[in-house]
Amino acid sequence: MSDFLGTLRKQVPANARRVVELCTGDLPEYAAAAGDPREYADMLDFAVFIRRRTIELVAGDEPLTADDLAVVAATGERRGETGMSRAALRRLLTLHASATLNEIQEASGPADLPVTMRMLGWLGPQGTAAQQAYTTGFLQGQKRFLPEMAQVRQFAEMVLAGEVAAIANAGELGVRVPGCYEVIVARTPDVAKEVAAEAVHAAWRRCGAPATWFGPGEFVALVPAGQETTAVRLVSDLTEIIGGPFSVGTASGPATALSEAFALARRVSRVTRAGHLHTAADVFIELGAADLPEIDRWLHQLAGRLTVGPDLVETLDAYYRHDLNRPRAAAALRIHPRSLDYRLQRVRELTGIDPASTHGIRILSAVVSRVLAG
């Protein structure tokens, strides 16, 4: 008869010490906190507590209680108060989860498969609940020393990464999380730290939009879906702060699962021209071309042919932006309509494609977009 849970129960003290030692050896921030004997004792006590409660609850086929999760959250809050970074938090949770699986593997024998599978099934949802409680507590603890703008950036980064604990903690920042966010990705020139900080501050203070930077040239902000005026104002403010135009891509998705929308907005920002908010629907041809190197090279070859003419890319851009209206396109270019006709004829001669044909619009508009996107 299986005594798997009994075996695990006997090993709790040793397993608890082992996981604390594993974390102190892997995480300098955790090790620094563990240098305080009281902190070390708290770490060990929590490792013992969570293992004993896991065994008890698996035996009774019961979930973690509110009191259990409160203990987990309080422990996370203590780690946040010590100044541990969010990167260290993620690593800490990973180490704890890996250690638990190793302990199960070491304790299980040939007759233990049913109870082992039951425990693994319990750990899926209950482990997730515990990690969310720990992270929520951690964020509470961080508030005591983390500046507001740093909290705003961290909130944006966590939501973009799909970490739902950030949403649970949003009220502490005064954020009302909508059902859907529009992810705005601006691909900018490299900016100084002071400018980057000003951009995040302006997005938050003027537009109520959590924002952050992914590297020096990628600004990302979250605006409730449907608030186009806010999105336009945010981009306008950013243009003023940066001091010049940049390409912007947007995509919408549920606030609890934004990774796909973020990835799509990033792709759009890489193929679109500067100065306008673009969605995938605006640049779906360019997105397809960018994913096919052979097509992209062909478009660049066509673009190369246009460089021998007088401002032919600029001419095609104006022509298509004004829906093939010759007088309006000529006025935008400040040339006579006959000069516009000459340039369009030159495009036909150089590429063998009629700019006014359906075929020409599809191909040459993609050429123009790829050139203007750099």
Side-chain angles (χ1 to χ4, degrees), residues 11 44 90 100 162 214 238 288:
Q11 294 174 348
L44 192 57
R90 291 195 300 268
T100 300
F214 284 83
L238 185 60

Side-chain angles (χ1 to χ4, degrees), residues 234-304:
L234 185 148
V235 173
S236 176
D237 289 344
L238 185 60
T239 302
E240 182 179 342
I241 292 168
I242 299 298
F246 43 80
S247 60
V248 186
T250 72
S252 298
T256 54
L258 276 181
S259 59
E260 288 188 10
F262 181 27
L264 181 56
R266 268 180 156 168
R267 291 178 61 204
V268 172
S269 74
R270 292 184 179 126
V271 301
T272 189
R273 68 188 68 185
H276 301 277
L277 279 165
H278 288 88
T279 67
D282 299 320
V283 293
F284 68 93
I285 294 177
E286 290 83 352
L287 283 172
D291 285 342
L292 294 171
E294 298 84 356
I295 300 299
D296 204 35
R297 283 195 295 270
W298 174 59
L299 293 178
H300 279 286
Q301 289 170 1
L302 290 175

